[in-house]
Amino acid sequence: MRTHRCGDIRLEHAGETVTVCGWVDGRREHSQHLAFIDLRDYAGIVQVVVDGNHDLRSEYVARITGTVAARLDGTANANLPTGEIEIRDCTVEVLSTAEAPPFPMDERTDVDETIRLRHRYVDLRKKRMQKNLRTRAVVNSAIRSAMEEQGFVEVETPMLIASTPEGARDFVVPSRQKPGNFYALPQSPQIFKQLCMVGGIDRYYQIARCMRDEDLRADRQFEFMQLDMEASFVTQEDVFGFISHAIAGATEAVTGERPTEIPRITWDDAMERFGSDKPDTRFGMELVNLTDLFAETEFNAFKADRVMGIRMPGGAEFSRSKLDDLTDMVKRWGGKGLVWMKVEAAEGEQGGLTLNSPVAKFCSEAELAGIAERLEAEEGDVLFLVADRKRRTQHLLGLLRIELGRPPVTEGGFNYLWVVDFPLFEDINDDGKPVPAHHPFTMPHPDDIEVLETAEGEALLDVRSQAYDLVLNGWELGSGSVRIHRSDVQSRIFDILGIGAEEAQLKFGFLLDAFKYGAPPHAGFAFGIDRVTALLAGEENIREVIAFPKTQSGADPLTKAPTPIDTSHLTELGLQVLPEEEDFS
RNA sequence: GGUCCUGUGGUGCAGUUUGGAGUGCACGCCGCCCUGUCAAGGCGGAGGUCGCGAGUUCAAAUCUCGUCAGGACCGCCA
């Protein structure tokens, strides 16, 4: 139907007869003798000169044949790649008329996202979505190439699988042939990729759709895509190499710059310095441990397991209400409170600094001096201090650091980071059993296997695992681990977790059975395509790189999903919908 | 499960604090004019149950309560 894409026509085509197809981006009508039409396709916009009698309105779809000509002197448009030419002497064919678009098609107006999603088919025409979806395709393609270069084989795993009780909430699909039974949609291909290793695939990868029925966020949708991989006869170090190659390839394909080697930080350091297992290392404001300064403090609030602080440069300008808001925020996050101290020039001839704070009077001179020194306070800063249990102190200051310091998504480059040496267990539950930080097949750190044999209770929290995360600018891109392939180690882990042999057989029997038949040592990883694409595209929200995303409540404003289904359909599945629970409170 | 923010012609906003007639701005839309525009320009016009429902009041876009929708975050996401 066409000879060229609208956005591709240049001065070199002058004199040629071309046919272009696209949407009417705008019209500038001068009279019945002259009108300019901007015709748009995914490649760009070209100016078409017609007489004013053609009824070409916004978003009409047209096919136009005409002659490419250089624009008149002084009328070129430097802002447009096609700005030096226009198409004249046109034959116009309207392929589709169109109602006025439900929102402005220019890129200047931030339209309400619900309205964009309700008319996503129109929204997708806009430059932003065109660019983002194409960026996504580039990422996918680069990842495939990188994995294939490294000898990985793409294997597809099933979408209808058995529900497992661990982990996130499953999406389930009722079985028609076995009423009362359900398939689950996969949260990840975890079990299957490990079975592939037993099956001698050696190096597996898949760009896999995963589903988790958990609350949605800017970086979380019900369904998301992951580069999922697993390899046999490899170490953690090998996995870093495979994934680095893929992520570097994707980054280079989008930005043109290949990232250098990805730095590493231990989980413990990440928590101590950034208060997060997914630190945004684009900016400083690191946490500083002040606990020892208050070993003998008179200030009750600082008689805590942990006292830590961060320094906000220039924060002394904050108003009292702003500081109160921050304090409220910390309380909402679960903290007891927030201490702030403005760093001001001391009065008197000696100079120096003084800390201005409502609680300064409860602290000794030595304590105040210690705070200023440790936090490297400078005039005009504000210091924030939190005292609480270790983990909560780190967490609260980590959140505050992000709240105050995080740069916009488009600033600071792409700071990839490996977070290594995750703990094997993240907590001890009320029964005294440790809660696994990853799945129960994660191999303990080789140096800690002996500890594992004897440790009990709190001491188990110090056991490290061979689990690792990849982080980009404060977003967790993905995680992986070296898996347990030895039944004796696996039994010990199940034992510690309080999972009996019978229960283990019930939950993971098919995997344990598979391991009886010769399991190679193996390790793997998975990272989110939506997240990495969003960051590479400069978007704060993964919905901007997904063609048809859901809203935060899990609805699709376009198709109206989720919807009720016919009673007959339910009956066939052996299902009945209960009336909504009434609230008697 | 929780905290906070936002709902005003098709779109983006102002108006809400301190109640007084659906008031205003920009874009878009429709019509007319205009032979070099490109965020075209000029003139005219249409278009709103102020998300929805109660309450307070002589009077509610504005105050109160509830509810729905959207967003950010905490929990959750092995």
Side-chain angles (χ1 to χ4, degrees):
Chain A
M1 285 186 84
R2 61 184 172 194
T3 63
H4 293 74
R5 303 185 304 177
C6 298
D8 289 344
I9 303 176
R10 295 289 184 275
L11 203 51
E12 69 200 59
H13 300 106
E16 290 179 31
T17 298
V18 298
T19 302
V20 290
C21 296
W23 285 264
V24 173
D25 196 61
R27 59 179 170 157
R28 293 174 296 280
E29 199 180 338
H30 284 259
S31 72
Q32 55 185 321
H33 308 289
L34 176 69
F36 299 101
I37 303 297
D38 288 334
L39 199 67
R40 180 191 71 238
D41 62 18
Y42 69 93
I45 287 172
V46 67
Q47 176 165 285
V48 176
V49 187
V50 297
D51 72 49
N53 292 322
H54 287 98
D55 192 19
L56 287 167
R57 299 174 189 233
S58 288
E59 301 307 310
Y60 275 30
V61 183
R63 177 173 182 245
I64 289 173
T65 301
T67 309
V68 178
R71 294 198 187 180
L72 302 181
D73 281 349
T75 63
N77 183 351
N79 298 321
L80 221 53
T82 60
E84 289 184 288
I85 54 93
E86 61 196 13
I87 301 176
R88 294 184 195 155
D89 306 321
C90 294
T91 307
V92 175
E93 185 184 349
V94 174
L95 302 172
S96 278
T97 59
E99 290 184 17
F103 43 76
M105 294 299 288
D106 64 65
E107 305 289 327
R108 298 185 304 277
T109 316
D110 272 330
V111 180
D112 182 88
E113 200 180 344
T114 318
I115 295 161
R116 291 175 57 204
L117 292 180
R118 192 174 299 143
H119 302 277
R120 190 60 148 180
Y121 40 84
V122 177
D123 191 50
L124 291 178
R125 287 180 204 156
K126 293 166 78 168
K127 198 189 287 178
R128 179 186 194 176
M129 290 306 300
Q130 288 283 320
K131 170 182 154 282
N132 288 354
L133 292 182
R134 288 186 158 77
T135 295
R136 188 183 179 109
V138 165
V139 167
N140 275 328
S141 171
I143 287 169
R144 282 218 161 80
S145 301
M147 296 313 286
E148 278 160 20
E149 278 167 26
Q150 300 180 107
F152 282 81
V153 179
E154 186 169 8
V155 177
E156 291 149 88
T157 53
M159 296 298 284
L160 297 172
I161 67 175
S163 179
T164 52
E166 314 293 314
R169 198 177 289 116
D170 278 329
F171 276 102
V172 295
V173 179
S175 163
R176 173 179 57 84
Q177 294 182 320
K178 292 190 175 177
N181 288 274
F182 297 83
Y183 300 98
L185 302 178
Q187 297 175 28
S188 86
Q190 183 64 37
I191 300 286
F192 291 98
K193 66 177 175 177
Q194 292 192 245
L195 293 175
C196 281
M197 294 302 99
V198 179
I201 299 297
D202 199 272
R203 292 183 179 188
Y204 143 93
Y205 88 100
Q206 181 181 194
I207 293 182
R209 188 174 299 271
C210 305
M211 280 89 158
R212 294 178 190 173
D213 188 3
E214 297 291 346
D215 289 356
L216 281 52
R217 289 282 169 77
D219 61 350
R220 283 161 26 188
Q221 285 272 303
F222 281 154
E223 45 186 310
F224 56 100
M225 301 301 289
Q226 293 210 308
L227 178 271
D228 190 53
M229 58 82 50
E230 193 80 13
S232 296
F233 311 115
V234 297
T235 62
Q236 172 171 312
E237 208 57 45
D238 294 317
V239 174
F240 290 163
F242 298 140
I243 294 296
S244 295
H245 187 63
I247 210 79
T251 307
E252 184 176 19
V254 174
T255 68
E257 278 181 47
R258 196 169 182 88
T260 53
E261 189 173 337
I262 298 173
R264 300 178 193 184
I265 187 172
T266 65
W267 180 86
D268 203 55
D269 278 353
M271 297 305 294
E272 286 286 358
R273 291 171 53 195
F274 301 100
S276 170
D277 60 2
K278 44 179 181 177
D280 189 339
T281 49
R282 289 176 299 164
F283 66 105
M285 289 181 66
E286 292 192 19
L287 279 56
V288 176
N289 189 353
L290 306 169
T291 313
D292 58 298
L293 293 177
F294 299 96
E296 294 170 19
T297 188
E298 300 289 316
F299 183 27
N300 285 329
F302 282 181
K303 290 174 182 170
D305 292 346
R306 252 314 162 88
V307 183
M308 299 184 88
I310 57 173
R311 179 176 78 98
M312 173 77 200
E317 295 174 357
F318 287 176
S319 66
R320 184 58 187 257
S321 70
K322 164 90 175 174
L323 293 166
D324 287 345
D325 286 348
L326 290 170
T327 305
D328 287 344
M329 202 179 292
V330 168
K331 285 179 179 168
R332 273 189 255 118
W333 289 333
K336 289 198 273 283
L338 177 69
V339 168
W340 53 263
M341 297 181 166
K342 290 185 174 182
V343 184
E344 297 172 352
E347 289 175 18
E349 291 176 7
Q350 291 190 328
L353 298 170
T354 182
L355 298 182
N356 175 3
S357 169
V359 305
K361 57 180 176 287
F362 302 120
C363 299
S364 70
E365 287 295 324
E367 286 166 355
L368 292 174
I371 293 169
E373 188 194 340
R374 289 278 181 85
L375 283 164
E376 299 175 6
E378 291 179 20
E379 187 180 338
D381 296 343
V382 66
L383 312 177
F384 292 104
L385 281 73
V386 169
D388 210 312
R389 282 172 32 216
K390 177 179 169 183
R391 288 274 175 269
R392 185 177 294 161
T393 305
Q394 291 172 333
H395 180 60
L396 294 173
L397 279 175
L399 290 173
L400 189 65
R401 172 179 175 270
I402 292 293
E403 173 68 26
L404 293 172
R406 182 174 225 163
V409 67
T410 50
E411 289 176 15
F414 299 103
N415 292 32
Y416 291 102
L417 182 69
W418 288 111
V419 179
V420 302
D421 295 349
F422 266 68
L424 194 57
F425 309 107
E426 68 181 14
D427 206 353
I428 307 288
N429 69 17
D430 297 337
D431 305 332
K433 295 294 180 189
V435 181
H438 207 55
H439 58 65
F441 312 111
T442 304
M443 186 76 93
H445 195 284
D447 298 343
D448 292 356
I449 286 188
E450 276 186 40
V451 182
L452 189 62
E453 291 302 322
T454 55
E456 300 219 4
E458 294 275 332
L460 285 168
L461 294 183
D462 292 332
V463 176
R464 292 166 297 170
S465 68
Q466 296 188 64
Y468 31 87
D469 275 10
L470 179 62
V471 172
L472 172 56
N473 296 359
W475 281 23
E476 180 192 323
L477 287 189
S479 52
S481 61
V482 176
R483 326 296 183 187
I484 297 170
H485 67 283
R486 277 166 46 190
S487 58
D488 59 330
V489 179
Q490 187 66 69
S491 296
R492 174 67 186 142
I493 297 287
F494 280 152
D495 194 36
I496 292 168
L497 294 174
I499 300 176
E502 200 174 317
E503 188 185 359
Q505 190 60 34
L506 197 67
K507 285 180 176 173
F508 311 109
F510 52 94
L511 184 63
L512 298 175
D513 284 347
F515 283 1
K516 291 178 191 165
Y517 293 95
H522 58 287
F525 200 80
F527 68 80
I529 305 272
D530 310 88
R531 289 184 182 177
V532 73
T533 304
L535 293 174
L536 288 173
E539 294 288 359
E540 308 267 7
N541 192 307
I542 64 171
R543 293 189 298 273
E544 299 295 345
V545 298
I546 297 172
F548 300 101
K550 307 274 190 294
T551 65
Q552 201 167 68
S553 63
D556 177 3
L558 173 54
T559 65
K560 303 287 189 286
T563 57
I565 58 174
D566 287 345
T567 311
S568 61
H569 197 170
L570 285 172
T571 305
E572 188 177 38
L573 296 165
L575 297 177
Q576 194 178 353
V577 177
L578 296 172
E580 270 187 58
E581 276 184 55
E582 295 198 27
D583 187 0
F584 296 105
S585 60

